Amino acid sequence: MFDAIANISWDVPSAEELRQDKAFWSLYEAAFPFHEREPPEVILRALAEGVGVAVRARQKEETIGLASMHLLRDPAGVFLVYLAIAQPLQSQGLGQRLLQYVWQIGNQ
């Protein structure tokens, strides 16, 4: 049987890489209602200032999942702010895998 979520890669893009990722922002807008979304510039500024981290799940260079975290310095902590998976790939365990990856990053 074909595995629709095979060959997934994970990365932590820079603010500039994320700014240019149209699939990331399309998924972000589709997954969260307007009143629940921060403006993209808030997320990008947090990445640039080192107080935020974004993670992408990618398949063939296309972003199919996203997570955004806010980092606390004192006391040290990590808050998962957003997590989303593209609609056609939901309910296949990709969200769980993305959350596990984010958890590993947060514990570094």
mmCIF file of all heavy atoms in Angstrom, residues 61-93:
data_model
loop_
_atom_site.group_PDB
_atom_site.id
_atom_site.type_symbol
_atom_site.label_atom_id
_atom_site.label_comp_id
_atom_site.label_asym_id
_atom_site.label_seq_id
_atom_site.Cartn_x
_atom_site.Cartn_y
_atom_site.Cartn_z
ATOM 1 N N GLU A 61 9.981 19.083 -1.268
ATOM 2 C CA GLU A 61 10.207 20.541 -1.202
ATOM 3 C C GLU A 61 8.937 21.356 -0.978
ATOM 4 O O GLU A 61 8.963 22.576 -1.044
ATOM 5 C CB GLU A 61 10.929 21.048 -2.467
ATOM 6 C CG GLU A 61 12.257 20.374 -2.726
ATOM 7 C CD GLU A 61 13.258 20.561 -1.595
ATOM 8 O OE1 GLU A 61 13.359 21.665 -1.063
ATOM 9 O OE2 GLU A 61 13.926 19.568 -1.253
ATOM 10 N N GLU A 62 7.808 20.709 -0.708
ATOM 11 C CA GLU A 62 6.546 21.405 -0.450
ATOM 12 C C GLU A 62 6.229 21.305 1.041
ATOM 13 O O GLU A 62 6.266 20.214 1.616
ATOM 14 C CB GLU A 62 5.417 20.778 -1.264
ATOM 15 C CG GLU A 62 4.090 21.458 -1.113
ATOM 16 C CD GLU A 62 3.992 22.775 -1.879
ATOM 17 O OE1 GLU A 62 4.839 23.012 -2.762
ATOM 18 O OE2 GLU A 62 3.075 23.553 -1.605
ATOM 19 N N THR A 63 5.897 22.433 1.655
ATOM 20 C CA THR A 63 5.525 22.430 3.065
ATOM 21 C C THR A 63 4.136 21.821 3.208
ATOM 22 O O THR A 63 3.179 22.292 2.597
ATOM 23 C CB THR A 63 5.560 23.852 3.638
ATOM 24 O OG1 THR A 63 6.910 24.337 3.550
ATOM 25 C CG2 THR A 63 5.122 23.880 5.091
ATOM 26 N N ILE A 64 4.055 20.763 4.037
ATOM 27 C CA ILE A 64 2.777 20.078 4.242
ATOM 28 C C ILE A 64 2.359 20.093 5.709
ATOM 29 O O ILE A 64 1.269 19.655 6.048
ATOM 30 C CB ILE A 64 2.846 18.626 3.727
ATOM 31 C CG1 ILE A 64 3.962 17.871 4.433
ATOM 32 C CG2 ILE A 64 3.001 18.604 2.218
ATOM 33 C CD1 ILE A 64 3.949 16.383 4.194
ATOM 34 N N GLY A 65 3.230 20.599 6.563
ATOM 35 C CA GLY A 65 2.921 20.722 7.982
ATOM 36 C C GLY A 65 3.743 21.837 8.582
ATOM 37 O O GLY A 65 4.801 22.185 8.054
ATOM 38 N N LEU A 66 3.239 22.410 9.650
ATOM 39 C CA LEU A 66 3.965 23.510 10.290
ATOM 40 C C LEU A 66 3.761 23.482 11.784
ATOM 41 O O LEU A 66 2.766 22.957 12.279
ATOM 42 C CB LEU A 66 3.518 24.855 9.720
ATOM 43 C CG LEU A 66 2.077 25.314 9.981
ATOM 44 C CD1 LEU A 66 1.947 26.059 11.303
ATOM 45 C CD2 LEU A 66 1.607 26.196 8.850
ATOM 46 N N ALA A 67 4.723 24.028 12.457
ATOM 47 C CA ALA A 67 4.627 24.259 13.898
ATOM 48 C C ALA A 67 5.374 25.551 14.198
ATOM 49 O O ALA A 67 6.354 25.891 13.535
ATOM 50 C CB ALA A 67 5.232 23.103 14.693
ATOM 51 N N SER A 68 4.884 26.267 15.186
ATOM 52 C CA SER A 68 5.522 27.499 15.624
ATOM 53 C C SER A 68 5.593 27.464 17.145
ATOM 54 O O SER A 68 4.617 27.111 17.811
ATOM 55 C CB SER A 68 4.698 28.696 15.151
ATOM 56 O OG SER A 68 5.177 29.888 15.706
ATOM 57 N N MET A 69 6.765 27.808 17.661
ATOM 58 C CA MET A 69 6.975 27.807 19.103
ATOM 59 C C MET A 69 7.491 29.171 19.552
ATOM 60 O O MET A 69 8.202 29.839 18.814
ATOM 61 C CB MET A 69 8.009 26.750 19.490
ATOM 62 C CG MET A 69 7.628 25.347 19.132
ATOM 63 S SD MET A 69 8.955 24.179 19.521
ATOM 64 C CE MET A 69 10.124 24.531 18.224
ATOM 65 N N HIS A 70 7.139 29.509 20.768
ATOM 66 C CA HIS A 70 7.676 30.711 21.405
ATOM 67 C C HIS A 70 8.592 30.251 22.533
ATOM 68 O O HIS A 70 8.233 29.364 23.305
ATOM 69 C CB HIS A 70 6.544 31.583 21.958
ATOM 70 C CG HIS A 70 7.029 32.846 22.556
ATOM 71 N ND1 HIS A 70 7.430 33.917 21.799
ATOM 72 C CD2 HIS A 70 7.200 33.206 23.836
ATOM 73 C CE1 HIS A 70 7.823 34.890 22.599
ATOM 74 N NE2 HIS A 70 7.685 34.481 23.833
ATOM 75 N N LEU A 71 9.770 30.839 22.614
ATOM 76 C CA LEU A 71 10.761 30.455 23.610
ATOM 77 C C LEU A 71 10.785 31.453 24.755
ATOM 78 O O LEU A 71 10.873 32.664 24.525
ATOM 79 C CB LEU A 71 12.149 30.400 22.968
ATOM 80 C CG LEU A 71 12.273 29.573 21.690
ATOM 81 C CD1 LEU A 71 13.665 29.716 21.098
ATOM 82 C CD2 LEU A 71 11.936 28.121 21.960
ATOM 83 N N LEU A 72 10.692 30.946 25.957
ATOM 84 C CA LEU A 72 10.853 31.768 27.158
ATOM 85 C C LEU A 72 12.282 31.619 27.642
ATOM 86 O O LEU A 72 12.843 30.529 27.588
ATOM 87 C CB LEU A 72 9.933 31.273 28.271
ATOM 88 C CG LEU A 72 8.571 31.898 28.403
ATOM 89 C CD1 LEU A 72 7.839 31.295 29.588
ATOM 90 C CD2 LEU A 72 8.629 33.394 28.520
ATOM 91 N N ARG A 73 12.843 32.681 28.123
ATOM 92 C CA ARG A 73 14.228 32.629 28.598
ATOM 93 C C ARG A 73 14.324 32.444 30.104
ATOM 94 O O ARG A 73 15.161 31.695 30.581
ATOM 95 C CB ARG A 73 14.958 33.898 28.165
ATOM 96 C CG ARG A 73 15.095 33.953 26.654
ATOM 97 C CD ARG A 73 15.918 35.128 26.208
ATOM 98 N NE ARG A 73 16.009 35.103 24.749
ATOM 99 C CZ ARG A 73 16.093 36.159 24.004
ATOM 100 N NH1 ARG A 73 16.133 37.348 24.539
ATOM 101 N NH2 ARG A 73 16.157 36.048 22.700
ATOM 102 N N ASP A 74 13.494 33.160 30.875
ATOM 103 C CA ASP A 74 13.614 33.092 32.327
ATOM 104 C C ASP A 74 12.224 33.168 32.948
ATOM 105 O O ASP A 74 11.637 34.250 32.973
ATOM 106 C CB ASP A 74 14.487 34.238 32.831
ATOM 107 C CG ASP A 74 14.831 34.089 34.297
ATOM 108 O OD1 ASP A 74 14.756 32.965 34.818
ATOM 109 O OD2 ASP A 74 15.172 35.116 34.919
ATOM 110 N N PRO A 75 11.682 32.062 33.392
ATOM 111 C CA PRO A 75 12.273 30.728 33.400
ATOM 112 C C PRO A 75 12.245 30.132 31.988
ATOM 113 O O PRO A 75 11.403 30.486 31.170
ATOM 114 C CB PRO A 75 11.380 29.928 34.344
ATOM 115 C CG PRO A 75 10.044 30.583 34.211
ATOM 116 C CD PRO A 75 10.331 32.058 33.981
ATOM 117 N N ALA A 76 13.165 29.225 31.738
ATOM 118 C CA ALA A 76 13.253 28.592 30.433
ATOM 119 C C ALA A 76 11.994 27.776 30.167
ATOM 120 O O ALA A 76 11.505 27.059 31.029
ATOM 121 C CB ALA A 76 14.485 27.698 30.364
ATOM 122 N N GLY A 77 11.461 27.924 28.961
ATOM 123 C CA GLY A 77 10.261 27.178 28.592
ATOM 124 C C GLY A 77 10.003 27.317 27.103
ATOM 125 O O GLY A 77 10.536 28.205 26.444
ATOM 126 N N VAL A 78 9.200 26.419 26.596
ATOM 127 C CA VAL A 78 8.821 26.422 25.192
ATOM 128 C C VAL A 78 7.307 26.289 25.116
ATOM 129 O O VAL A 78 6.725 25.403 25.753
ATOM 130 C CB VAL A 78 9.481 25.245 24.430
ATOM 131 C CG1 VAL A 78 9.037 25.226 22.988
ATOM 132 C CG2 VAL A 78 10.989 25.314 24.536
ATOM 133 N N PHE A 79 6.676 27.183 24.360
ATOM 134 C CA PHE A 79 5.242 27.130 24.161
ATOM 135 C C PHE A 79 4.948 26.826 22.700
ATOM 136 O O PHE A 79 5.387 27.560 21.808
ATOM 137 C CB PHE A 79 4.590 28.466 24.527
ATOM 138 C CG PHE A 79 4.628 28.757 25.992
ATOM 139 C CD1 PHE A 79 5.653 29.510 26.522
ATOM 140 C CD2 PHE A 79 3.657 28.256 26.839
ATOM 141 C CE1 PHE A 79 5.708 29.777 27.877
ATOM 142 C CE2 PHE A 79 3.707 28.509 28.194
ATOM 143 C CZ PHE A 79 4.729 29.280 28.717
ATOM 144 N N LEU A 80 4.222 25.756 22.471
ATOM 145 C CA LEU A 80 3.757 25.450 21.125
ATOM 146 C C LEU A 80 2.590 26.388 20.838
ATOM 147 O O LEU A 80 1.593 26.397 21.559
ATOM 148 C CB LEU A 80 3.310 23.987 21.032
ATOM 149 C CG LEU A 80 2.783 23.540 19.680
ATOM 150 C CD1 LEU A 80 3.867 23.623 18.618
ATOM 151 C CD2 LEU A 80 2.230 22.119 19.779
ATOM 152 N N VAL A 81 2.733 27.205 19.807
ATOM 153 C CA VAL A 81 1.713 28.191 19.485
ATOM 154 C C VAL A 81 0.802 27.672 18.376
ATOM 155 O O VAL A 81 -0.420 27.763 18.473
ATOM 156 C CB VAL A 81 2.353 29.539 19.080
ATOM 157 C CG1 VAL A 81 1.286 30.578 18.788
ATOM 158 C CG2 VAL A 81 3.295 30.028 20.173
ATOM 159 N N TYR A 82 1.388 27.127 17.327
ATOM 160 C CA TYR A 82 0.617 26.627 16.194
ATOM 161 C C TYR A 82 1.150 25.266 15.766
ATOM 162 O O TYR A 82 2.356 25.030 15.796
ATOM 163 C CB TYR A 82 0.726 27.569 14.984
ATOM 164 C CG TYR A 82 0.217 28.957 15.236
ATOM 165 C CD1 TYR A 82 1.095 30.017 15.396
ATOM 166 C CD2 TYR A 82 -1.140 29.209 15.327
ATOM 167 C CE1 TYR A 82 0.635 31.300 15.629
ATOM 168 C CE2 TYR A 82 -1.616 30.482 15.566
ATOM 169 C CZ TYR A 82 -0.727 31.526 15.713
ATOM 170 O OH TYR A 82 -1.185 32.786 15.949
ATOM 171 N N LEU A 83 0.247 24.402 15.344
ATOM 172 C CA LEU A 83 0.608 23.131 14.723
ATOM 173 C C LEU A 83 -0.497 22.819 13.723
ATOM 174 O O LEU A 83 -1.677 22.846 14.082
ATOM 175 C CB LEU A 83 0.717 22.006 15.752
ATOM 176 C CG LEU A 83 1.307 20.712 15.187
ATOM 177 C CD1 LEU A 83 2.341 20.150 16.136
ATOM 178 C CD2 LEU A 83 0.241 19.695 14.901
ATOM 179 N N ALA A 84 -0.122 22.562 12.483
ATOM 180 C CA ALA A 84 -1.110 22.281 11.443
ATOM 181 C C ALA A 84 -0.543 21.322 10.413
ATOM 182 O O ALA A 84 0.654 21.333 10.133
ATOM 183 C CB ALA A 84 -1.537 23.581 10.753
ATOM 184 N N ILE A 85 -1.422 20.522 9.852
ATOM 185 C CA ILE A 85 -1.096 19.578 8.797
ATOM 186 C C ILE A 85 -2.043 19.860 7.631
ATOM 187 O O ILE A 85 -3.232 20.105 7.841
ATOM 188 C CB ILE A 85 -1.283 18.117 9.277
ATOM 189 C CG1 ILE A 85 -0.415 17.822 10.505
ATOM 190 C CG2 ILE A 85 -1.023 17.124 8.147
ATOM 191 C CD1 ILE A 85 1.074 17.977 10.293
ATOM 192 N N ALA A 86 -1.524 19.803 6.416
ATOM 193 C CA ALA A 86 -2.358 20.019 5.234
ATOM 194 C C ALA A 86 -3.545 19.054 5.254
ATOM 195 O O ALA A 86 -3.393 17.872 5.590
ATOM 196 C CB ALA A 86 -1.535 19.837 3.963
ATOM 197 N N GLN A 87 -4.708 19.544 4.907
ATOM 198 C CA GLN A 87 -5.961 18.790 4.987
ATOM 199 C C GLN A 87 -5.878 17.390 4.374
ATOM 200 O O GLN A 87 -6.293 16.426 5.014
ATOM 201 C CB GLN A 87 -7.091 19.597 4.324
ATOM 202 C CG GLN A 87 -8.446 18.951 4.411
ATOM 203 C CD GLN A 87 -9.037 18.984 5.809
ATOM 204 O OE1 GLN A 87 -8.785 19.918 6.568
ATOM 205 N NE2 GLN A 87 -9.795 17.985 6.167
ATOM 206 N N PRO A 88 -5.345 17.199 3.164
ATOM 207 C CA PRO A 88 -5.354 15.858 2.574
ATOM 208 C C PRO A 88 -4.489 14.838 3.336
ATOM 209 O O PRO A 88 -4.651 13.637 3.144
ATOM 210 C CB PRO A 88 -4.778 16.058 1.172
ATOM 211 C CG PRO A 88 -4.789 17.513 0.923
ATOM 212 C CD PRO A 88 -4.815 18.195 2.249
ATOM 213 N N LEU A 89 -3.597 15.321 4.195
ATOM 214 C CA LEU A 89 -2.682 14.424 4.908
ATOM 215 C C LEU A 89 -3.034 14.244 6.383
ATOM 216 O O LEU A 89 -2.299 13.602 7.119
ATOM 217 C CB LEU A 89 -1.248 14.936 4.765
ATOM 218 C CG LEU A 89 -0.744 14.997 3.332
ATOM 219 C CD1 LEU A 89 0.586 15.706 3.260
ATOM 220 C CD2 LEU A 89 -0.649 13.603 2.742
ATOM 221 N N GLN A 90 -4.155 14.811 6.799
ATOM 222 C CA GLN A 90 -4.554 14.681 8.190
ATOM 223 C C GLN A 90 -5.009 13.253 8.484
ATOM 224 O O GLN A 90 -5.363 12.495 7.585
ATOM 225 C CB GLN A 90 -5.669 15.675 8.518
ATOM 226 C CG GLN A 90 -5.182 17.107 8.487
ATOM 227 C CD GLN A 90 -6.273 18.114 8.765
ATOM 228 O OE1 GLN A 90 -7.429 17.783 8.970
ATOM 229 N NE2 GLN A 90 -5.893 19.384 8.751
ATOM 230 N N SER A 91 -4.975 12.885 9.745
ATOM 231 C CA SER A 91 -5.417 11.571 10.243
ATOM 232 C C SER A 91 -4.535 10.425 9.761
ATOM 233 O O SER A 91 -4.998 9.300 9.626
ATOM 234 C CB SER A 91 -6.877 11.307 9.864
ATOM 235 O OG SER A 91 -7.710 12.289 10.417
ATOM 236 N N GLN A 92 -3.261 10.718 9.488
ATOM 237 C CA GLN A 92 -2.327 9.681 9.061
ATOM 238 C C GLN A 92 -1.096 9.620 9.969
ATOM 239 O O GLN A 92 -0.107 8.987 9.641
ATOM 240 C CB GLN A 92 -1.900 9.922 7.616
ATOM 241 C CG GLN A 92 -3.069 9.845 6.647
ATOM 242 C CD GLN A 92 -2.631 10.039 5.224
ATOM 243 O OE1 GLN A 92 -1.623 9.482 4.791
ATOM 244 N NE2 GLN A 92 -3.374 10.827 4.480
ATOM 245 N N GLY A 93 -1.148 10.325 11.094
ATOM 246 C CA GLY A 93 -0.047 10.281 12.049
ATOM 247 C C GLY A 93 1.022 11.347 11.842
ATOM 248 O O GLY A 93 1.971 11.415 12.610
#
